[in-house]
mmCIF file of all heavy atoms in Angstrom:
data_model
loop_
_atom_site.group_PDB
_atom_site.id
_atom_site.type_symbol
_atom_site.label_atom_id
_atom_site.label_comp_id
_atom_site.label_asym_id
_atom_site.label_seq_id
_atom_site.Cartn_x
_atom_site.Cartn_y
_atom_site.Cartn_z
ATOM 1 N N ASP A 17 -4.959 9.168 8.902
ATOM 2 C CA ASP A 17 -5.533 8.443 10.010
ATOM 3 C C ASP A 17 -6.960 7.857 9.710
ATOM 4 O O ASP A 17 -7.309 6.779 10.176
ATOM 5 C CB ASP A 17 -5.626 9.405 11.297
ATOM 6 C CG ASP A 17 -4.351 9.768 11.803
ATOM 7 O OD1 ASP A 17 -3.367 8.940 11.651
ATOM 8 O OD2 ASP A 17 -4.205 10.795 12.453
ATOM 9 N N GLU A 18 -7.731 8.473 8.892
ATOM 10 C CA GLU A 18 -9.145 8.058 8.524
ATOM 11 C C GLU A 18 -9.004 6.880 7.578
ATOM 12 O O GLU A 18 -8.223 7.045 6.550
ATOM 13 C CB GLU A 18 -9.842 9.231 8.005
ATOM 14 C CG GLU A 18 -11.335 9.075 7.970
ATOM 15 C CD GLU A 18 -11.839 8.214 6.796
ATOM 16 O OE1 GLU A 18 -11.355 8.383 5.668
ATOM 17 O OE2 GLU A 18 -12.684 7.466 7.043
ATOM 18 N N PRO A 19 -9.635 5.707 7.852
ATOM 19 C CA PRO A 19 -9.438 4.531 6.978
ATOM 20 C C PRO A 19 -9.817 4.722 5.506
ATOM 21 O O PRO A 19 -9.028 4.190 4.728
ATOM 22 C CB PRO A 19 -10.397 3.572 7.698
ATOM 23 C CG PRO A 19 -10.691 4.064 9.056
ATOM 24 C CD PRO A 19 -10.497 5.568 9.011
ATOM 25 N N LEU A 20 -10.810 5.446 5.194
ATOM 26 C CA LEU A 20 -11.137 5.583 3.797
ATOM 27 C C LEU A 20 -10.100 6.438 3.044
ATOM 28 O O LEU A 20 -9.694 6.136 1.959
ATOM 29 C CB LEU A 20 -12.581 6.215 3.645
ATOM 30 C CG LEU A 20 -13.148 6.249 2.178
ATOM 31 C CD1 LEU A 20 -13.108 4.890 1.652
ATOM 32 C CD2 LEU A 20 -14.550 6.824 2.282
ATOM 33 N N ALA A 21 -9.613 7.445 3.777
ATOM 34 C CA ALA A 21 -8.580 8.334 3.159
ATOM 35 C C ALA A 21 -7.316 7.509 3.032
ATOM 36 O O ALA A 21 -6.636 7.728 2.049
ATOM 37 C CB ALA A 21 -8.410 9.621 3.971
ATOM 38 N N ALA A 22 -7.027 6.667 4.078
ATOM 39 C CA ALA A 22 -5.842 5.949 3.917
ATOM 40 C C ALA A 22 -5.793 4.903 2.903
ATOM 41 O O ALA A 22 -4.922 4.676 2.146
ATOM 42 C CB ALA A 22 -5.608 5.124 5.384
ATOM 43 N N ALA A 23 -6.997 4.180 2.723
ATOM 44 C CA ALA A 23 -7.063 3.280 1.618
ATOM 45 C C ALA A 23 -7.014 3.972 0.242
ATOM 46 O O ALA A 23 -6.284 3.449 -0.693
ATOM 47 C CB ALA A 23 -8.489 2.611 1.720
ATOM 48 N N SER A 24 -7.555 5.062 0.178
ATOM 49 C CA SER A 24 -7.508 5.853 -1.128
ATOM 50 C C SER A 24 -6.110 6.197 -1.480
ATOM 51 O O SER A 24 -5.587 6.007 -2.555
ATOM 52 C CB SER A 24 -8.361 7.104 -1.087
ATOM 53 O OG SER A 24 -8.264 7.929 -2.129
ATOM 54 N N ALA A 25 -5.291 6.703 -0.501
ATOM 55 C CA ALA A 25 -3.879 7.038 -0.673
ATOM 56 C C ALA A 25 -3.181 5.841 -1.029
ATOM 57 O O ALA A 25 -2.236 5.945 -1.833
ATOM 58 C CB ALA A 25 -3.415 7.725 0.573
ATOM 59 N N PHE A 26 -3.371 4.729 -0.364
ATOM 60 C CA PHE A 26 -2.628 3.440 -0.605
ATOM 61 C C PHE A 26 -2.913 3.062 -2.096
ATOM 62 O O PHE A 26 -1.891 2.799 -2.826
ATOM 63 C CB PHE A 26 -3.137 2.378 0.284
ATOM 64 C CG PHE A 26 -2.516 1.042 -0.151
ATOM 65 C CD1 PHE A 26 -1.282 0.683 0.236
ATOM 66 C CD2 PHE A 26 -3.228 0.079 -0.891
ATOM 67 C CE1 PHE A 26 -0.663 -0.610 -0.063
ATOM 68 C CE2 PHE A 26 -2.733 -1.109 -1.202
ATOM 69 C CZ PHE A 26 -1.460 -1.388 -0.748
ATOM 70 N N TYR A 27 -4.140 3.050 -2.538
ATOM 71 C CA TYR A 27 -4.371 2.550 -3.863
ATOM 72 C C TYR A 27 -3.850 3.542 -4.939
ATOM 73 O O TYR A 27 -3.557 3.077 -6.090
ATOM 74 C CB TYR A 27 -5.886 2.355 -4.072
ATOM 75 C CG TYR A 27 -6.411 1.044 -3.407
ATOM 76 C CD1 TYR A 27 -7.165 1.113 -2.300
ATOM 77 C CD2 TYR A 27 -6.099 -0.161 -3.949
ATOM 78 C CE1 TYR A 27 -7.626 -0.131 -1.718
ATOM 79 C CE2 TYR A 27 -6.529 -1.322 -3.409
ATOM 80 C CZ TYR A 27 -7.246 -1.381 -2.335
ATOM 81 O OH TYR A 27 -7.640 -2.462 -1.721
ATOM 82 N N ALA A 28 -3.864 4.852 -4.648
ATOM 83 C CA ALA A 28 -3.279 5.818 -5.621
ATOM 84 C C ALA A 28 -1.878 5.773 -5.694
ATOM 85 O O ALA A 28 -1.367 6.043 -6.760
ATOM 86 C CB ALA A 28 -3.961 7.199 -5.179
ATOM 87 N N THR A 29 -1.151 5.663 -4.601
ATOM 88 C CA THR A 29 0.309 5.906 -4.634
ATOM 89 C C THR A 29 1.175 4.670 -4.462
ATOM 90 O O THR A 29 2.181 4.504 -5.150
ATOM 91 C CB THR A 29 0.698 6.912 -3.523
ATOM 92 O OG1 THR A 29 0.348 6.440 -2.212
ATOM 93 C CG2 THR A 29 0.068 8.203 -3.640
ATOM 94 N N VAL A 30 0.701 3.776 -3.554
ATOM 95 C CA VAL A 30 1.535 2.513 -3.259
ATOM 96 C C VAL A 30 1.256 1.363 -4.247
ATOM 97 O O VAL A 30 2.117 0.717 -4.846
ATOM 98 C CB VAL A 30 1.381 2.088 -1.852
ATOM 99 C CG1 VAL A 30 2.190 0.923 -1.597
ATOM 100 C CG2 VAL A 30 1.732 3.151 -0.950
ATOM 101 N N LEU A 31 -0.080 1.221 -4.547
ATOM 102 C CA LEU A 31 -0.456 0.026 -5.404
ATOM 103 C C LEU A 31 0.201 0.035 -6.741
ATOM 104 O O LEU A 31 0.777 -1.044 -7.118
ATOM 105 C CB LEU A 31 -1.985 0.005 -5.499
ATOM 106 C CG LEU A 31 -2.467 -1.121 -6.309
ATOM 107 C CD1 LEU A 31 -2.249 -2.509 -5.636
ATOM 108 C CD2 LEU A 31 -3.954 -0.927 -6.548
ATOM 109 N N PRO A 32 0.313 1.189 -7.461
ATOM 110 C CA PRO A 32 1.028 1.129 -8.738
ATOM 111 C C PRO A 32 2.425 0.655 -8.706
ATOM 112 O O PRO A 32 2.961 0.085 -9.644
ATOM 113 C CB PRO A 32 0.802 2.513 -9.286
ATOM 114 C CG PRO A 32 -0.326 3.103 -8.492
ATOM 115 C CD PRO A 32 -0.354 2.476 -7.197
ATOM 116 N N LEU A 33 3.133 1.101 -7.667
ATOM 117 C CA LEU A 33 4.523 0.770 -7.454
ATOM 118 C C LEU A 33 4.627 -0.809 -7.283
ATOM 119 O O LEU A 33 5.587 -1.385 -7.778
ATOM 120 C CB LEU A 33 5.167 1.524 -6.216
ATOM 121 C CG LEU A 33 5.115 3.055 -6.420
ATOM 122 C CD1 LEU A 33 5.577 3.697 -5.117
ATOM 123 C CD2 LEU A 33 5.949 3.480 -7.534
ATOM 124 N N ILE A 34 3.770 -1.366 -6.504
ATOM 125 C CA ILE A 34 3.729 -2.795 -6.215
ATOM 126 C C ILE A 34 3.555 -3.609 -7.421
ATOM 127 O O ILE A 34 4.179 -4.515 -7.708
ATOM 128 C CB ILE A 34 2.826 -3.152 -5.091
ATOM 129 C CG1 ILE A 34 3.210 -2.494 -3.749
ATOM 130 C CG2 ILE A 34 2.774 -4.663 -4.906
ATOM 131 C CD1 ILE A 34 2.163 -2.495 -2.735
ATOM 132 N N ILE A 35 2.395 -3.203 -8.186
ATOM 133 C CA ILE A 35 2.106 -3.974 -9.409
ATOM 134 C C ILE A 35 3.291 -4.029 -10.396
ATOM 135 O O ILE A 35 3.460 -5.053 -11.050
ATOM 136 C CB ILE A 35 0.832 -3.399 -9.895
ATOM 137 C CG1 ILE A 35 -0.388 -3.637 -9.034
ATOM 138 C CG2 ILE A 35 0.566 -3.831 -11.403
ATOM 139 C CD1 ILE A 35 -1.621 -2.933 -9.406
ATOM 140 N N HIS A 36 4.030 -2.901 -10.481
ATOM 141 C CA HIS A 36 5.101 -2.864 -11.428
ATOM 142 C C HIS A 36 6.445 -3.302 -10.873
ATOM 143 O O HIS A 36 7.454 -3.177 -11.617
ATOM 144 C CB HIS A 36 5.106 -1.433 -12.118
ATOM 145 C CG HIS A 36 3.879 -1.085 -12.862
ATOM 146 N ND1 HIS A 36 3.385 -1.842 -13.957
ATOM 147 C CD2 HIS A 36 2.820 -0.281 -12.507
ATOM 148 C CE1 HIS A 36 2.231 -1.335 -14.252
ATOM 149 N NE2 HIS A 36 1.860 -0.451 -13.471
ATOM 150 N N ASP A 37 6.531 -3.621 -9.674
ATOM 151 C CA ASP A 37 7.713 -4.115 -8.978
ATOM 152 C C ASP A 37 8.053 -5.469 -9.630
ATOM 153 O O ASP A 37 7.205 -6.407 -9.647
ATOM 154 C CB ASP A 37 7.586 -4.065 -7.563
ATOM 155 C CG ASP A 37 8.832 -4.244 -6.692
ATOM 156 O OD1 ASP A 37 9.607 -5.238 -7.058
ATOM 157 O OD2 ASP A 37 9.104 -3.473 -5.905
ATOM 158 N N SER A 38 9.306 -5.745 -9.917
ATOM 159 C CA SER A 38 9.779 -7.043 -10.452
ATOM 160 C C SER A 38 10.110 -7.989 -9.342
ATOM 161 O O SER A 38 10.524 -9.093 -9.709
ATOM 162 C CB SER A 38 10.898 -6.756 -11.308
ATOM 163 O OG SER A 38 12.065 -6.229 -10.565
ATOM 164 N N ALA A 39 10.068 -7.672 -8.026
ATOM 165 C CA ALA A 39 10.463 -8.566 -7.035
ATOM 166 C C ALA A 39 9.510 -9.832 -6.974
ATOM 167 O O ALA A 39 8.278 -9.694 -7.399
ATOM 168 C CB ALA A 39 10.428 -8.000 -5.668
ATOM 169 N N THR A 40 10.114 -11.016 -6.705
ATOM 170 C CA THR A 40 9.247 -12.232 -6.707
ATOM 171 C C THR A 40 8.275 -12.221 -5.554
ATOM 172 O O THR A 40 7.102 -12.558 -5.682
ATOM 173 C CB THR A 40 10.139 -13.349 -6.605
ATOM 174 O OG1 THR A 40 10.992 -13.395 -7.737
ATOM 175 C CG2 THR A 40 9.312 -14.673 -6.627
ATOM 176 N N ASN A 41 8.682 -11.768 -4.446
ATOM 177 C CA ASN A 41 7.877 -11.697 -3.218
ATOM 178 C C ASN A 41 8.039 -10.354 -2.521
ATOM 179 O O ASN A 41 9.152 -9.808 -2.395
ATOM 180 C CB ASN A 41 8.294 -12.801 -2.281
ATOM 181 C CG ASN A 41 8.195 -14.185 -2.850
ATOM 182 O OD1 ASN A 41 7.095 -14.571 -3.400
ATOM 183 N ND2 ASN A 41 9.198 -14.901 -2.850
ATOM 184 N N ILE A 42 6.889 -9.809 -2.020
ATOM 185 C CA ILE A 42 6.852 -8.579 -1.424
ATOM 186 C C ILE A 42 6.202 -8.577 -0.063
ATOM 187 O O ILE A 42 5.200 -9.334 0.099
ATOM 188 C CB ILE A 42 6.216 -7.530 -2.347
ATOM 189 C CG1 ILE A 42 6.912 -7.297 -3.552
ATOM 190 C CG2 ILE A 42 6.008 -6.209 -1.573
ATOM 191 C CD1 ILE A 42 6.293 -6.302 -4.505
ATOM 192 N N VAL A 43 6.758 -7.884 0.878
ATOM 193 C CA VAL A 43 6.101 -7.715 2.112
ATOM 194 C C VAL A 43 5.941 -6.233 2.387
ATOM 195 O O VAL A 43 7.032 -5.507 2.469
ATOM 196 C CB VAL A 43 6.851 -8.374 3.328
ATOM 197 C CG1 VAL A 43 6.199 -8.075 4.672
ATOM 198 C CG2 VAL A 43 7.041 -9.871 3.180
ATOM 199 N N LEU A 44 4.734 -5.771 2.556
ATOM 200 C CA LEU A 44 4.508 -4.368 2.841
ATOM 201 C C LEU A 44 4.552 -4.169 4.288
ATOM 202 O O LEU A 44 4.010 -4.988 5.084
ATOM 203 C CB LEU A 44 3.170 -3.903 2.276
ATOM 204 C CG LEU A 44 3.066 -3.733 0.765
ATOM 205 C CD1 LEU A 44 2.756 -5.126 0.166
ATOM 206 C CD2 LEU A 44 2.135 -2.738 0.445
ATOM 207 N N VAL A 45 5.123 -3.046 4.782
ATOM 208 C CA VAL A 45 5.236 -2.728 6.233
ATOM 209 C C VAL A 45 4.494 -1.485 6.452
ATOM 210 O O VAL A 45 4.893 -0.450 6.093
ATOM 211 C CB VAL A 45 6.709 -2.642 6.610
ATOM 212 C CG1 VAL A 45 6.733 -2.312 8.177
ATOM 213 C CG2 VAL A 45 7.492 -3.888 6.381
ATOM 214 N N PHE A 46 3.283 -1.671 7.022
ATOM 215 C CA PHE A 46 2.427 -0.532 7.353
ATOM 216 C C PHE A 46 2.733 -0.003 8.688
ATOM 217 O O PHE A 46 3.268 -0.773 9.597
ATOM 218 C CB PHE A 46 1.023 -0.947 7.423
ATOM 219 C CG PHE A 46 0.404 -1.230 6.083
ATOM 220 C CD1 PHE A 46 0.344 -2.499 5.533
ATOM 221 C CD2 PHE A 46 -0.240 -0.179 5.353
ATOM 222 C CE1 PHE A 46 -0.301 -2.654 4.331
ATOM 223 C CE2 PHE A 46 -0.871 -0.349 4.182
ATOM 224 C CZ PHE A 46 -0.873 -1.599 3.517
ATOM 225 N N HIS A 47 2.554 1.280 9.053
ATOM 226 C CA HIS A 47 2.580 1.765 10.403
ATOM 227 C C HIS A 47 1.334 1.223 11.215
ATOM 228 O O HIS A 47 0.405 0.879 10.543
ATOM 229 C CB HIS A 47 2.395 3.406 10.330
ATOM 230 C CG HIS A 47 3.511 4.048 9.710
ATOM 231 N ND1 HIS A 47 4.517 4.629 10.571
ATOM 232 C CD2 HIS A 47 3.832 4.374 8.514
ATOM 233 C CE1 HIS A 47 5.409 5.174 9.746
ATOM 234 N NE2 HIS A 47 4.966 5.025 8.423
ATOM 235 N N PRO A 48 1.482 0.932 12.424
ATOM 236 C CA PRO A 48 0.403 0.486 13.173
ATOM 237 C C PRO A 48 -0.825 1.378 13.034
ATOM 238 O O PRO A 48 -0.699 2.628 12.890
ATOM 239 C CB PRO A 48 0.898 0.448 14.642
ATOM 240 C CG PRO A 48 2.349 0.418 14.519
ATOM 241 C CD PRO A 48 2.728 1.206 13.261
ATOM 242 N N ALA A 49 -2.026 0.710 13.163
ATOM 243 C CA ALA A 49 -3.262 1.552 13.028
ATOM 244 C C ALA A 49 -4.302 0.745 13.851
ATOM 245 O O ALA A 49 -4.131 -0.496 14.066
ATOM 246 C CB ALA A 49 -3.630 1.653 11.589
ATOM 247 N N ASP A 50 -5.411 1.458 14.159
ATOM 248 C CA ASP A 50 -6.390 0.796 14.981
ATOM 249 C C ASP A 50 -7.153 -0.179 14.137
ATOM 250 O O ASP A 50 -6.984 -0.324 12.874
ATOM 251 C CB ASP A 50 -7.314 1.866 15.711
ATOM 252 C CG ASP A 50 -8.128 2.683 14.707
ATOM 253 O OD1 ASP A 50 -8.402 2.234 13.601
ATOM 254 O OD2 ASP A 50 -8.458 3.888 15.124
#
């Protein structure tokens, strides 16, 4: 829920998957947040 912790988790776990994904176009779907 905390923005800094959320950003840290995103960059640590999701970003590497996206960078190495072979798809031409990607749309990330986040849960709603304030």
Side-chain angles (χ1 to χ4, degrees):
D17 290 334
E18 198 276 320
L20 190 56
S24 178
F26 173 82
Y27 283 109
T29 60
V30 179
L31 183 64
L33 301 174
I34 296 165
I35 290 174
H36 299 293
D37 191 304
S38 62
T40 302
N41 300 308
I42 294 179
V43 176
L44 288 87
V45 180
F46 286 94
H47 291 263
D50 66 28

